[in-house]
């Protein structure tokens, strides 16, 4: 029984729930804005939105693993996943996926119709990804990045706060940057087996990715810089002080590029962001500075 429980927990991919922190982004950047009036109820609703997205995302992960079980058995690491290894049956996986997706759709209306529509759109997009779009090079990473935009939108809807278009653009570009880095690692690590475990990799080229990654990294930094000095942002913070956070964003991008190119990492962004001490410290300092600016501005 304990082995089934642990395998089920692994199938839910709790380590990837960190992606759903993006749901909190609109609330974080709305704190301290008198026109928004963000209070504890709005913050609580945003955290509830994170929980609902975790349930929905886990349902999607189970569907993906069921869909890719045969291909995962050819992968040196993915072959140990519960459905690929046989630790959990396909029948159990189907029931688990239906339960998780049904739960997310049942809970979403409690946070409002716009939030429910966003969750439904996210699930529809992920279904299209699982059953076809994931096999199309470049389209697959675009779908992944749009998923993060939907997370940010959902957070704004749940908390009832306005969402800056610049915030959505930054979420899109950052997610695209991480997804491209992941594809590069897969292409380098798998070598000749690339097409056997992920069909879209047959259409990727390392040289192309080495051009796209720094290009998107530059666009991400530029979008964030423009956001910090945008008139609406300056009015909300009462000054241009949000620009003080730009060095932390620069370092974060530089550090991640160093891990991708010099250490050949990048396959699991959620793992890197949780285990790399320099990135963790940089993120903590960035968050502390943001909160400080919001409280003392």
């Amino acid at each position: 029984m304990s082995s089934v429980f642990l395998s089920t927990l692994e199938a839910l991919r709790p380590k990837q729930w960190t992606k759903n922190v993006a749901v909190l982004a609109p609330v974080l950047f709305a704190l301290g804005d008198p026109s928004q009036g963000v209070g504890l109820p709005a913050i609580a609703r945003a955290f509830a939105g994170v929980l609902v997205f975790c349930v929905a995302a886990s349902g999607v992960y189970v569907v993906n693993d069921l869909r890719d079980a045969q291909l995962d058995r050819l992968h040196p690491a993915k072959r140990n996943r519960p459905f690929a290894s046989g630790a959990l049956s396909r029948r159990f996986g189907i029931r688990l996926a239906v339960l998780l997706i049904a739960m997310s759709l049942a809970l979403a209306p409690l946070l409002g119709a716009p939030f429910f529509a966003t969750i439904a759109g996210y699930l529809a997009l992920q279904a299209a990804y699982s059953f076809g779009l994931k096999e199309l090079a470049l389209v697959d990473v675009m779908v992944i990045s749009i998923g993060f935009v939907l997370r940010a939108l959902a957070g704004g809807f749940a908390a009832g706060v306005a969402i800056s278009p610049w915030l959505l653009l930054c979420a899109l570009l950052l997610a695209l940057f991480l997804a491209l880095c992941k594809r590069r690692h897969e292409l380098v690590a798998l070598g000749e087996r690339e097409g056997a475990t992920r069909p879209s990799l047959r259409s990727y080229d390392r040289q192309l990715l080495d051009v796209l990654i720094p290009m998107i990294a530059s666009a991400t930094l530029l979008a964030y810089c423009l956001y910090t000095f945008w008139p609406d942002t300056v009015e909300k913070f009462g000054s241009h002080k949000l620009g003080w956070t730009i060095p932390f964003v620069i370092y974060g991008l530089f550090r991640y590029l160093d891990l991708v190119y010099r250490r050949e990492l990048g396959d699991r962004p959620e793992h890197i962001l949780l285990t790399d001490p320099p990135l963790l410290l940089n993120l903590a300092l960035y968050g502390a500075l943001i909160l400080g600016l919001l409280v003392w501005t």
Side-chain angles (χ1 to χ4, degrees):
M1 181 64 71
S2 60
S3 62
V4 173
F5 174 78
L6 292 176
S7 295
T8 302
L9 183 61
E10 183 182 352
L12 300 182
R13 301 195 203 176
K15 290 183 180 180
Q16 296 202 27
W17 289 347
T18 52
K19 297 176 181 178
N20 299 315
V21 174
V23 175
L24 299 177
V27 174
L28 175 63
F29 286 94
L31 289 172
D33 185 353
S35 64
Q36 302 257 29
V38 177
L40 288 179
I43 296 174
R45 288 173 64 85
F47 274 99
V50 173
L51 293 176
V52 175
F53 247 96
C54 287
V55 175
S58 288
V60 170
Y61 298 146
V62 172
V63 171
N64 271 325
D65 285 353
L66 288 171
R67 174 80 173 169
D68 295 341
Q70 186 173 353
L71 292 176
D72 287 347
R73 294 187 184 103
L74 304 175
H75 193 280
K78 294 180 181 180
R79 64 186 179 187
N80 296 318
R81 287 179 174 177
F83 299 108
S85 65
L88 296 177
S89 69
R90 181 175 181 84
R91 184 177 182 182
F92 177 82
I94 293 173
R95 290 178 176 178
L96 180 61
V98 170
L99 174 63
L100 292 169
I101 292 172
M103 283 179 59
S104 66
L105 291 174
L107 293 171
L110 300 177
L111 296 174
F115 182 87
F116 172 78
T118 307
I119 280 283
Y122 169 81
L123 290 171
L125 181 67
Q126 295 306 313
Y129 176 82
S130 297
F131 292 94
L133 295 183
K134 68 189 305 179
E135 298 181 4
L136 303 177
L138 300 180
V139 173
D140 59 339
V141 293
M142 288 297 298
V143 171
I144 292 172
S145 59
I146 291 172
F148 279 85
V149 173
L150 292 176
R151 285 176 171 89
L153 277 173
F157 291 144
V161 299
I163 310 169
S164 169
W166 287 105
L167 178 61
L168 298 179
L169 179 60
C170 288
L172 176 73
L173 292 172
L174 181 59
L176 187 57
F177 167 72
L178 295 175
L180 288 169
C181 289
K182 182 175 182 177
R183 290 294 179 268
R184 183 187 185 278
H185 176 87
E186 292 171 335
L187 196 64
V188 172
L190 296 176
E192 295 180 354
R193 294 176 296 176
E194 59 190 62
T197 59
R198 188 185 291 276
S200 68
L201 286 178
R202 299 192 191 103
S203 301
Y204 275 107
D205 178 78
R206 181 172 176 175
Q207 184 177 3
L208 172 64
L209 290 171
D210 286 343
V211 171
L212 293 179
I213 289 171
M215 182 179 76
I216 296 300
S218 300
T220 303
L221 178 59
L222 178 60
Y224 185 80
C225 292
L226 289 173
Y227 166 68
T228 62
F229 295 113
W230 198 250
D232 291 345
T233 307
V234 173
E235 181 181 357
K236 181 174 72 174
F237 284 86
S239 70
H240 292 83
K241 292 180 180 178
L242 188 62
W244 295 353
T245 63
I246 292 176
F248 294 98
V249 176
I250 294 175
Y251 176 80
L253 291 171
F254 282 4
R255 174 63 181 175
Y256 203 88
L257 286 169
D258 176 62
L259 294 174
V260 168
Y261 282 98
R262 193 163 63 91
R263 305 192 186 187
E264 295 297 346
L265 299 176
D267 58 326
R268 293 186 295 166
E270 69 285 348
H271 177 76
I272 294 174
L273 295 175
L274 288 175
T275 58
D276 184 65
L279 278 178
L280 283 172
L281 178 60
N282 185 66
L283 184 61
L285 292 174
Y286 172 83
L289 181 55
I290 288 285
L291 291 176
L293 292 174
L294 290 169
V295 173
W296 286 295
T297 298

